[in-house]
Amino acid sequence: MKPKLFIPGIVLAVTVISGCAANDNAMDERNENISELDPARELQAPADDELNNRLGYVRYTKDQLNNDAERNHAVTMDRTQMANMITRIILRNDGFNEVATLVTDEEVLIAYDKNEDIDEDIAADIAKKTAVSVMPEFFDVYVSDNDTLIRDIHSLHNSTTTNKNYDNTIDSIIDEMKNSSQGKDSEEG
């Protein structure tokens, strides 16, 4: 009789352990998402200061790029890194309390909370010009001092460019952003 009790006991133990592991995986994923959005994670000093201060330079000949591997090479962009850079630059300006930036494959959306010491047109100029200076020219940039849009932008942070289910959300955010100043030199706004 003991072997019959032993096998169900093992099955129960494995089930409990599996359930705990699944819960741990969900917690790990949640913590990873929180960590990914934490600006303090970049405070570590670069591993090699000399490498960090070095100029960027490459040189190729046409023949070097005329092979199958290079023909199939796609230019990529780390959109999170670009959003991170834009947000940090904007926050270095006085007058901004919080900034959220979303970079899609076509647009840059920036929502911010500003204090009353900065004019809305000047704040919009700073935000928009920062994004324009960082991103390729074909990106459309939209900004807004409507800080409730920060949550809307945040809701899209796990979306991908291959899954376009968020297009309606992006369009509604853009429509709302257009109600805010888009900067002093903007034709829209």
Side-chain angles (χ1 to χ4, degrees):
M1 287 288 169
K2 285 188 179 185
K4 289 181 182 178
L5 288 175
F6 181 70
I7 292 174
I10 290 175
V11 171
L12 178 63
V14 168
T15 304
V16 169
I17 290 171
S18 296
C20 291
N23 191 26
D24 286 346
N25 289 341
M27 289 300 290
D28 289 346
E29 186 176 319
R30 180 178 175 275
N31 289 339
E32 185 178 308
N33 285 342
I34 291 170
S35 174
E36 181 181 301
L37 298 172
D38 182 9
R41 74 182 182 132
E42 288 193 10
L43 294 179
Q44 303 105 0
D48 183 17
D49 282 338
E50 181 182 340
L51 181 64
N52 192 42
N53 294 327
R54 201 173 272 166
L55 301 178
Y57 171 77
V58 295
R59 178 180 175 182
Y60 298 112
T61 65
K62 189 73 165 174
D63 291 337
Q64 288 172 310
L65 296 182
N66 205 9
N67 61 49
D68 287 340
E70 279 301 320
R71 278 189 208 106
N72 296 326
H73 180 79
V75 176
T76 59
M77 174 189 309
D78 185 338
R79 289 175 181 81
T80 301
Q81 187 64 22
M82 301 307 282
N84 186 4
M85 187 183 324
I86 292 166
T87 302
R88 287 172 179 269
I89 293 170
I90 294 169
L91 279 171
R92 293 200 193 300
N93 291 278
D94 292 333
F96 292 92
N97 301 317
E98 183 177 6
V99 178
T101 305
L102 180 74
V103 176
T104 72
D105 56 344
E106 299 172 354
E107 303 97 3
V108 178
L109 309 179
I110 304 169
Y112 50 87
D113 173 39
K114 68 174 194 66
N115 59 42
E116 58 265 349
D117 294 342
I118 187 169
D119 178 72
E120 75 178 66
D121 289 332
I122 292 172
D125 261 359
I126 290 170
K128 192 166 214 166
K129 287 179 179 179
T130 299
V132 167
S133 71
V134 170
M135 299 301 295
E137 185 178 357
F138 66 86
F139 278 83
D140 293 321
V141 178
Y142 302 95
V143 300
S144 177
D145 61 355
N146 179 349
D147 61 351
T148 60
L149 292 174
I150 291 172
R151 284 189 308 274
D152 294 341
I153 289 173
H154 175 80
S155 72
L156 297 169
H157 80 277
N158 280 331
S159 300
T160 65
T161 58
T162 57
N163 181 352
K164 293 294 193 167
N165 291 339
Y166 62 81
D167 277 348
N168 290 336
T169 305
I170 294 282
D171 291 342
S172 69
I173 292 172
I174 290 171
D175 287 343
E176 186 63 34
M177 287 183 153
K178 287 179 179 179
N179 294 325
S180 299
S181 172
Q182 295 299 302
K184 291 192 292 187
D185 298 329
S186 177
E187 296 169 15
E188 302 173 0

